[in-house]
Amino acid sequence: MTSSEGFAAFDLAPFTVAWEVTRACALRCIHCRAEAQPRRHPDELTTEEGLRLVDEIAEMGARVLVVTGGDPFMRRDIREFIARGKARGLRVALSPSATRLATGRALLEACEAGAEMIHISLDGATPGVHDAFRGVRGSYARTIAILGELRSLGVPLQIGTTVCRRNVHELEALAGLVGTLGASVWSVFFLVPTGRAQQADVLSPDEHERVLGWLADLAASAPFYVRTTAAPQFRRVVLQRAARGETPVPAAAHIRTGAGYARRPSDPTAAAGVNDGKGFCFVDHLGNVCPSGFLPLPAGNVREQPISRIYRESPLFRALRDPSRLEGKCGRCEFREVCGGSRARAFAFTGNPFAADPSCPYEPAASADARGDAEVANFRPTGR
């Protein structure tokens, strides 16, 4: 199966839909893309509207529903949404905040309702770093306690870390914690300066490249999957290393980028590569449909038209799935189909979602070398 087949599949449905059921949250995270508030918005999607949305997500052919926020536990009807997603054949993941609402009972009930994965954020290997991120003293201790509770329940666990200048020095220690805590996936988010996040905290291009190389090495032996968000360059880094024999091919089993992306040669969508608006979409608390939570450009609202129509037909989503629309060096890059750069970061820095991703230091090959580099871009090792 070819990458063009993957693009065709993504034209019809995203691999993953993330739904921000509320922006209410008790934490005050300095990097919160949602700029979460203490109380729920009165115009959030109602229970009935939310259940209809879940039905539409399943009907259009998505595979994964991520229930996120804010803090999803701020809504009493959260288990209804999870159960509906499970009943409709979706793989449902839940991303609660590490607050007092995330009790062992609440987490167990969410899993009994159908949540197959729980995502908990851990942004520092020490209380000082993590608590500074979350804006609440004691957040680190509560997070570790919640992770221990999940481990005792035997719940599949994903730990998420937003990497930036404030915590890049703790990544090695964080990786050790992720393994000790029994996570199945380490999801590493590369900061996008939207919401409360600041450009000054974003890593430099060279720092991005070094961290991605380090993650590729880590994935070769880690007991968990390594996944990146807002860093599709991870695919390029891994493909280049594998083609040069620097990254063991079996590491491909533990490398994922984007929501749901894994390099599986038998899956055409894996060749295409999930990106903002391409294999992924985001619904905010008011029903606006965006390419991702970090690219807050509404293309429509589910109160006015089905999510499938917005995803398939809106000019914004269609353009984001067309690599010929990319500009600058992303448009010239031989890896544009499997990578494409972070559209969210391009927009955050330039106001143009099709501009070159400023976090990437890679310079596309000269035309004389394009054939050889295209072979690297198309490299598909065997294995999962």
Side-chain angles (χ1 to χ4, degrees):
M1 297 184 178
T2 67
S3 60
S4 62
E5 290 175 288
F7 297 140
F10 284 160
D11 280 343
L12 294 175
F15 188 99
T16 299
V17 176
W19 174 26
E20 172 193 79
V21 295
T22 183
R23 285 195 174 176
C25 182
L27 300 180
R28 298 185 293 274
C29 303
I30 60 170
H31 64 302
C32 181
R33 55 130 200 101
E35 298 183 273
Q37 304 298 317
R39 294 179 178 81
R40 292 177 55 189
H41 195 288
D43 293 331
E44 287 174 0
L45 296 182
T46 65
T47 301
E48 181 180 355
E49 289 173 326
L51 293 172
R52 184 169 64 248
L53 172 62
V54 174
D55 289 342
E56 290 180 1
I57 290 169
E59 288 164 3
M60 78 170 170
R63 306 185 199 180
V64 177
L65 170 62
V66 178
V67 180
T68 185
D71 184 3
F73 281 141
M74 294 289 279
R75 291 194 60 146
R76 296 184 178 181
D77 50 6
I78 192 65
R79 288 186 296 277
E80 294 183 56
F81 301 139
I82 295 171
R84 180 63 69 90
K86 177 70 171 179
R88 295 304 305 267
L90 293 166
R91 289 158 49 195
V92 183
L94 177 67
S95 181
S97 298
T99 69
R100 290 184 176 87
L101 295 179
T103 64
R105 178 177 179 179
L107 294 164
L108 178 60
E109 289 177 346
C111 292
E112 289 176 340
E116 298 182 28
M117 179 76 75
I118 303 292
H119 173 107
I120 300 292
S121 293
L122 181 63
D123 293 307
T126 57
V129 172
H130 180 85
D131 288 0
F133 251 83
R134 296 291 153 183
V136 175
R137 183 175 296 179
S139 178
Y140 177 86
R142 185 174 298 118
T143 298
I144 295 298
I146 290 170
L147 290 169
E149 184 76 32
L150 287 167
R151 188 175 186 183
S152 68
L153 292 173
V155 174
L157 171 63
Q158 174 174 294
I159 291 178
T161 298
T162 297
V163 61
C164 67
R165 294 191 181 281
R166 296 170 182 261
N167 65 351
V168 65
H169 62 286
E170 291 202 337
L171 284 181
E172 187 170 350
L174 273 164
L177 270 175
V178 172
T180 300
L181 292 165
S184 302
V185 180
W186 189 22
S187 188
V188 183
F189 294 74
F190 284 71
L191 187 71
V192 175
T194 188
R196 295 190 189 125
Q198 301 297 310
Q199 287 192 13
D201 286 331
V202 177
L203 300 181
S204 72
D206 287 342
E207 288 170 328
H208 272 90
E209 195 80 354
R210 285 197 293 271
V211 172
L212 291 173
W214 176 79
L215 287 172
D217 291 338
L218 174 69
S221 58
F224 45 79
Y225 287 100
V226 175
R227 173 182 292 159
T228 64
T229 294
Q233 297 89 347
F234 194 35
R235 301 172 198 142
R236 170 184 56 78
V237 169
V238 171
L239 291 172
Q240 288 175 316
R241 283 171 168 247
R244 294 192 299 259
E246 296 174 5
T247 297
V249 171
H254 280 171
I255 293 169
R256 301 182 177 190
T257 84
Y261 175 92
R263 287 198 294 146
R264 297 185 180 92
S266 61
D267 183 352
T269 61
V274 172
N275 207 331
D276 298 331
K278 188 180 80 171
F280 184 88
C281 74
F282 175 87
V283 184
D284 76 10
H285 61 306
L286 304 179
N288 295 308
V289 180
C290 302
S292 80
F294 300 105
L295 182 51
L297 292 176
N301 190 288
V302 298
R303 283 175 165 144
E304 300 169 358
Q305 55 185 318
I307 187 173
S308 58
R309 182 180 303 167
I310 299 169
Y311 178 83
R312 293 169 183 168
E313 301 177 12
S314 72
L316 175 62
F317 274 84
R318 289 173 65 88
L320 287 169
R321 293 194 291 271
D322 180 359
S324 72
R325 294 292 300 273
L326 296 176
E327 301 174 10
K329 67 178 183 179
C330 282
R332 302 190 305 271
C333 186
E334 64 275 20
F335 292 94
R336 62 184 174 272
E337 293 189 354
V338 296
C339 172
S342 170
R343 299 299 92 219
R345 192 174 294 105
F347 177 73
F349 274 86
T350 72
N352 177 5
F354 303 100
D357 181 348
S359 71
C360 181
Y362 180 70
E363 290 296 333
S367 58
D369 300 325
R371 182 176 178 181
D373 286 311
E375 291 175 356
V376 173
N378 292 325
F379 177 77
R380 293 287 179 273
T382 57
R384 183 177 177 183

